[in-house]
Structure formats: structure tokens, C-alpha cells
Amino acid sequence: MSLETDVGLLGRLPLFSEFNAEQLRLLAFSAENHTYSAGDILFWEGDPSEFGLVIVSGSVDLQRRRGEKTMVVGHAGIGDLIGELGLITDIERPATAVATMPTEVIRIQRPLFRRILTEYPDIAARIQIQLIERLSDTNAALDAIGAKLDY
């Protein structure tokens, strides 16, 4: 994958929509590209979330284990970002990520993301507003579901 292709892919993600071309190039240049085979584990449920992954090619299932059962709880494909909150804060991975076919990802480490936010505080402020809006939308959706369950 070329640097310019990675820059284009990153620029289409909502979290990075506030980045200009120079900042996206810095992010793409400093990130790591990894390739996985079908069945490979990208990370395990319960692991510390220290990086985010952007799917460049292939696909990933997100699985949760409950007792003896494993359930697919999500799916990520080309252009999706997995582990977004891990770029911002220390949390545990809520699911295991398994490549369902040969998959290439861009791996963005939290220190890199934080460094960019420190160097460009205007981006940090805009991302904060973006995350607050998304959290508000999620809370409204949960309230609507709660109301239906109460009914």
C-alpha cells in the first residue's frame, strides 16, 4: 500500500476528518502496516487497547466469548476503524478481532495519535466536539430503546 493510498483511506474516516493533508501524511507515515491471514487474531477480548486498526483490505469479525460460546458481535471491512477509543484512552478490548480472510491493516499506536493531538490542539478540540456529539446520539438511541423496553 502506498503512502498516498493510506492517506486517502485515513482521510475518509470520521475520526480523522478534521486532519489536513499534511497531518494525514504524518499519521500514515508514522503508522505501521500489518498483514494477517484468515483466522489470525488481531487482538484478544480483555487485552489493553493500545492502538487502533484501519482495515485496508480483507475483513475482520469481532467476537465475544460468553462461557463456552463465542458469538460474532460485529464485522469490520475495508475503510473501517477498529479500536477507536483505544487511540484516546486506556480501556480493555471488548471483543476479539479475527481476520476472516487475508487482511491488511494500518496500525495506529496511541502515543502517535496523542502526539498529533498535542502538536495540533485545534484538531483535538474539534475531535472532542465530534466525540461528544456521537456520545449524545448514542445516549439518545439508548433512551429510545429503553422507552420501548419499558412499554
Side-chain angles (χ1 to χ4, degrees):
M1 191 71 17
S2 75
L3 180 64
E4 289 309 310
T5 303
D6 287 355
V7 167
L9 182 62
L10 292 172
R12 289 190 293 272
L13 293 167
L15 184 63
F16 306 128
S17 64
E18 300 293 337
F19 287 50
N20 66 33
E22 173 191 328
Q23 295 154 346
L24 287 169
R25 226 179 324 288
L26 173 64
L27 182 63
F29 180 77
S30 301
E32 307 160 1
N33 287 65
H34 289 269
T35 303
Y36 298 92
S37 298
D40 283 354
I41 305 296
L42 286 68
F43 55 78
W44 292 94
E45 179 178 354
D47 281 354
S49 183
E50 301 166 338
F51 54 85
L53 298 172
V54 178
I55 309 297
V56 175
S57 66
S59 64
V60 173
D61 277 345
L62 300 172
Q63 303 174 352
R64 294 193 75 178
R65 189 161 179 86
R66 295 296 168 252
E68 296 297 315
K69 293 185 176 188
T70 299
M71 304 179 343
V72 174
V73 296
H75 181 79
I78 296 171
D80 289 334
L81 171 61
I82 304 172
E84 179 177 28
L85 285 179
L87 292 172
I88 299 167
T89 188
D90 295 323
I91 60 169
E92 287 186 0
R93 299 279 185 191
T96 298
V98 182
T100 60
M101 62 179 61
T103 300
E104 184 180 354
V105 302
I106 301 170
R107 184 180 198 165
I108 303 167
Q109 298 288 344
R110 183 183 314 123
L112 168 61
F113 187 71
R114 285 186 173 175
R115 188 181 87 214
I116 290 173
L117 295 182
T118 300
E119 291 177 17
Y120 301 98
D122 57 316
I123 292 176
R126 291 192 308 260
I127 287 175
Q128 180 183 22
I129 291 168
Q130 183 185 105
L131 293 174
I132 289 169
E133 288 171 352
R134 288 174 50 198
L135 181 59
S136 178
D137 292 346
T138 299
N139 285 337
L142 289 173
D143 287 344
I145 290 169
K148 286 181 182 180
L149 290 174
D150 288 342
Y151 180 72

